[in-house]
Amino acid sequence: MGLPNGVHHLAICTKDIKKQIDYFSQVVGMELVALYWMHGVDNTFHGFMKLSDSSSIAFVQHPEVAKIQPIKGVSHAGHTTQNVAPGAMQHLALNVDSEADLMAIRDRVRSHGHWVMGPLDHGFCKSIYLAAPEGIMLEFSTSEGGSIDAEAWIDPEVQALAGISAEEVEKYKHPAQFESKGGKVAQPKADPSKPLMDYPADDRLWTMSDEEVTRRMSNTTPPVQKKPKAA
């Protein structure tokens, strides 16, 4: 297993964060664990819905979001298999541990009056499907059988259509190990030929040292100061 071992948070824009919090709390059963102004971003707040101690869905609200018109097939999928623009989320699949849990979440969602399709059996997982507020295509999945068997689930025909050779498949299945340099690898010069953030900051961002970025842009203070516990 590589260093990334789950989703820390998935950020989704919303024009009505209360509606999203209500749905994912009351209908889906997730806990609201944070709701605060986004650090370093004007007039924007976000709320975190807990998946686990280290994994959340974060809903982000800014007044301009409401002015952006969703377009099915461009910004949003109309169903969980519909095309959308490159880089846009097609659907959100949340994990549950067992088929019993899958039926429990289906019961919970249906008890709130929401239509749910499934389960469908995909071989290595079983899934149910529905829509969440603002056109989010939502899936719940369980893989009780454990990890996916790559020998059975990498299709040679699809591999060829993707332009991936047999040698490349082996390389992708077994990525090279990397020994950490303890954070000592120097920052390369920003290269427009590679993916870059269109970050709302002055041009100095691209030449700041790591230490300056951390010092200038970090904010560790919670919005509510907890009272110390009595001795």
Side-chain angles (χ1 to χ4, degrees), residues 154-161 164:
I154 296 179
D155 186 336
E157 179 182 12
V158 176
Q159 171 192 322
L161 289 171
I164 300 173

Side-chain angles (χ1 to χ4, degrees), residues 45-211:
F45 49 80
H46 53 178
F48 285 70
M49 306 302 298
K50 180 179 178 180
L51 290 168
S52 70
D53 287 343
S54 60
S55 184
S56 304
I57 301 174
F59 290 100
V60 182
Q61 183 167 330
H62 181 282
E64 293 295 323
V65 172
K67 300 177 183 179
I68 301 172
Q69 181 63 40
I71 303 173
K72 288 183 180 179
V74 179
S75 65
H76 285 62
H79 51 77
T80 52
T81 62
Q82 186 182 32
N83 294 332
V84 290
M89 186 184 77
Q90 184 195 56
H91 69 275
L92 168 63
L94 303 179
N95 180 73
V96 296
D97 288 336
S98 67
E99 188 169 357
D101 288 340
L102 193 65
M103 294 300 95
I105 190 64
R106 190 180 73 175
D107 283 345
R108 177 172 183 133
V109 172
R110 285 180 172 176
S111 73
H112 285 267
H114 293 270
W115 184 90
V116 182
M117 181 180 77
L120 303 186
D121 191 341
H122 298 294
F124 63 83
C125 72
K126 293 181 180 179
S127 301
I128 59 174
Y129 302 88
L130 65 154
E134 298 179 301
I136 296 172
M137 294 296 103
L138 188 58
E139 174 183 357
F140 293 92
S141 300
T142 184
S143 297
E144 286 187 292
S147 60
I148 301 173
D149 181 358
E151 300 305 317
W153 287 98
I154 296 179
D155 186 336
E157 179 182 12
V158 176
Q159 171 192 322
L161 289 171
I164 300 173
S165 69
E167 292 75 15
E168 288 171 323
V169 165
E170 291 306 309
K171 180 178 68 173
Y172 298 152
K173 286 164 58 180
H174 308 287
Q177 296 295 307
F178 179 81
E179 183 177 345
S180 173
K181 311 303 180 185
K184 302 300 182 183
V185 176
Q187 173 80 288
K189 183 179 179 180
D191 182 353
S193 71
K194 296 181 178 180
L196 288 174
M197 298 186 297
D198 186 11
Y199 199 84
D202 59 47
D203 291 339
R204 292 187 59 248
L205 173 68
W206 309 112
T207 58
M208 285 185 193
S209 68
D210 296 324
E211 292 76 16

Side-chain angles (χ1 to χ4, degrees), residues 4-42:
N5 60 6
V7 176
H8 185 276
H9 70 276
L10 175 64
I12 301 175
C13 282
T14 179
K15 64 180 181 181
D16 190 342
I17 199 168
K18 180 181 179 181
K19 180 182 289 186
Q20 295 291 358
I21 291 171
D22 184 80
Y23 179 89
F24 280 88
S25 171
Q26 300 307 297
V27 178
V28 177
M30 296 165 59
E31 300 173 19
L32 174 66
V33 291
L35 180 63
Y36 64 99
W37 292 104
M38 185 178 280
H39 295 154
V41 185
D42 290 339

